[in-house]
Amino acid sequence: MQHLEHDRLIFLALGESEADNADRTHLDACSHCRAELAGLREVAGLGRSTQSLRDLPDPPEHLWQGITAEIRTAEQLPTLTTARPQPADQRDGPVAPRSRRPRRWVRYAVTAVAAAAVGIAGTAAVLREGTPPPPPVTASAQLAAYGSTPPQARGDARVLGTGELHLHVANLPPVSGYYEVWLINPRNMEMFSIGVLGGGSDVLLPLPPNVDLGQYSVVDVSAEQFDNNTAHSGDSLLRGSLTG
């Protein structure tokens, strides 16, 4: 049995995405993924529960040394794709370069590890900065199959208060190139790319700081080729309009 991607379980555990029918069906049948999701939710809960703790005594030095080791390990984990790939000879399906920017969930997880370690030792101190809450969602869109795309393809997009777009997709048809994410102005069909979706089902993409989502309100996922052409291919797979 193929398990759910670890990134997907992290988003579910942090509440940054809701389980769709395929996720629920898999979790009902897979004890491994259920256990991993439960563990991730426990870690995320520990992190969130420490937000109100302030001005408490420092823990023993050996605990901080262990926390530092956890941070170093977390920083070496792979990161989400955020940038468009340069054209290349890619024959094995969609790929994308990886960003060096640490994942948001790493910050949650590291803070939670610190809180758990301190609690076991009987010391009620946590990281000085506290644990950041999940970012607010300022707009969202349900993405549906577009054109000749199989109707079971779907997705959801959420604009976060951090200035990023969280995209989750399911059942996209395979392509020989890669998937690209666009924002479209439905009044004049002007559009621009905000990044690519790699081989996974979730991605965080930074939005331009001055983007007007009231005008560029349509989220589009297209199939693109490695052809040195930066324009939209015209082959849209999913589309949906942002509201909120």
Side-chain angles (χ1 to χ4, degrees):
M1 176 186 295
Q2 182 176 359
H3 298 299
L4 290 178
E5 295 179 1
H6 192 64
D7 287 347
R8 181 62 180 153
L9 291 171
I10 290 166
F11 279 111
L12 293 175
L14 292 176
E16 290 197 3
S17 185
E18 295 183 1
D20 56 27
N21 289 335
D23 295 332
R24 288 190 288 269
T25 299
H26 180 85
L27 289 169
D28 287 343
C30 180
S31 59
H32 174 84
C33 288
R34 284 200 308 273
E36 185 172 359
L37 178 60
L40 290 169
R41 281 174 171 165
E42 182 177 359
V43 170
L46 284 170
R48 292 190 182 100
S49 68
T50 63
Q51 294 181 57
S52 61
L53 297 180
R54 295 291 188 275
D55 300 327
L56 297 172
D58 290 334
E61 182 62 28
H62 71 275
L63 287 181
W64 285 118
Q65 292 174 357
I67 293 167
T68 300
E70 292 287 347
I71 293 173
R72 290 172 178 168
T73 300
E75 287 178 341
Q76 295 172 1
L77 292 174
T79 56
L80 293 175
T81 57
T82 59
R84 177 174 180 161
Q86 297 296 320
D89 182 13
Q90 304 286 347
R91 295 190 174 89
D92 296 327
V95 296
R98 296 189 178 273
S99 164
R100 296 182 182 275
R101 182 163 54 89
R103 293 177 179 175
R104 180 178 296 101
W105 68 264
V106 169
R107 298 200 296 272
Y108 294 140
V110 168
T111 304
V113 168
V118 169
I120 292 172
T123 306
V126 295
L127 294 180
R128 297 297 185 183
E129 294 80 8
T131 304
V137 176
T138 59
S140 62
Q142 294 295 315
L143 308 185
Y146 186 84
S148 60
T149 306
Q152 64 268 27
R154 57 171 299 277
D156 59 77
R158 301 192 303 162
V159 178
L160 307 180
T162 55
E164 296 169 297
L165 181 80
H166 171 221
L167 180 68
H168 170 67
V169 299
N171 305 318
L172 282 181
V175 297
S176 59
Y178 59 96
Y179 307 110
E180 189 159 8
V181 185
W182 305 76
L183 288 180
I184 302 175
N185 185 332
R187 295 180 180 178
N188 55 22
M189 297 309 294
E190 289 183 352
M191 63 183 69
F192 62 90
S193 170
I194 59 173
V196 301
L197 174 70
S201 59
D202 284 270
V203 68
L204 277 175
L205 298 171
L207 294 170
N210 60 344
V211 63
D212 184 351
L213 295 178
Q215 294 187 33
Y216 291 89
S217 57
V218 174
V219 179
D220 175 280
V221 178
S222 67
E224 302 289 337
Q225 300 296 323
F226 296 101
D227 54 8
N228 282 321
N229 187 348
T230 60
H232 192 285
S233 66
D235 186 7
S236 293
L237 304 177
L238 299 175
R239 279 192 185 178
S241 297
L242 292 168
T243 59

